[in-house]
Amino acid sequence: MGRMIKSWIIDLRHFLLPDGKVAPLPPRAERLFAYWTEIVSQATQYDDPTTLRCRRRPGRKPCKSLLTIFFDADNNDVLWFCPRCHDEGRIAGWEDTFWDNGGLEPEKPS
Ligand SMILES: [Zn+2]
């Protein structure tokens, strides 16, 4: 309501070919896609702190703030935002992609 923040909402599967490789993208989209996949990669390294920094350049100055990355408890989407410039987004469809480091397999009965 009234928020003028541009939010990125993407689904990684829309960028992948049937064999799981990344579809050919124009350079700008390719850079954004690399950023999103890095977010997923860091989000699923559950034990490691986030080191990814904001890519935006508000007022032509690099923001570079540490991103906050977490999961949507309802549908497991990866959510991220920049606490400084308020860039934010949602990434769906990341499970079992190349960038999913989680490997959350069901526990084997012992
Ligand atoms: Zn920022």
Side-chain angles (χ1 to χ4, degrees):
M1 297 287 281
R3 294 205 314 166
M4 296 297 289
I5 293 168
K6 183 177 178 186
S7 182
W8 301 96
I9 300 175
I10 61 127
D11 187 325
L12 283 194
R13 289 167 297 196
H14 297 170
F15 295 86
L16 300 180
L17 300 171
D19 65 0
K21 293 204 178 76
V22 182
L25 297 169
R28 181 177 143 76
E30 203 166 64
R31 281 196 298 276
L32 277 167
F33 186 78
Y35 182 58
W36 295 327
T37 53
E38 181 61 24
I39 290 169
V40 168
S41 175
Q42 295 217 356
T44 54
Q45 276 162 354
Y46 302 105
D47 296 332
D48 295 338
T50 300
T51 56
L52 192 60
R53 291 178 183 276
C54 181
R55 61 176 290 282
R56 284 197 66 224
R57 297 169 57 85
R60 294 178 185 272
K61 291 200 182 101
C63 173
K64 286 190 175 175
S65 287
L66 214 51
L67 295 181
T68 300
I69 303 176
F70 55 105
F71 294 93
D72 188 322
D74 289 332
N75 55 20
N76 223 27
D77 287 355
V78 172
L79 304 172
W80 54 272
F81 72 90
C82 171
R84 187 168 163 207
C85 73
H86 306 292
D87 194 31
E88 64 173 0
R90 167 184 294 274
I91 302 171
W94 56 269
E95 291 98 335
D96 299 323
T97 62
F98 176 77
W99 305 276
D100 177 2
N101 290 308
L104 284 182
E105 289 170 29
E107 287 192 28
K108 294 190 185 85
S110 53

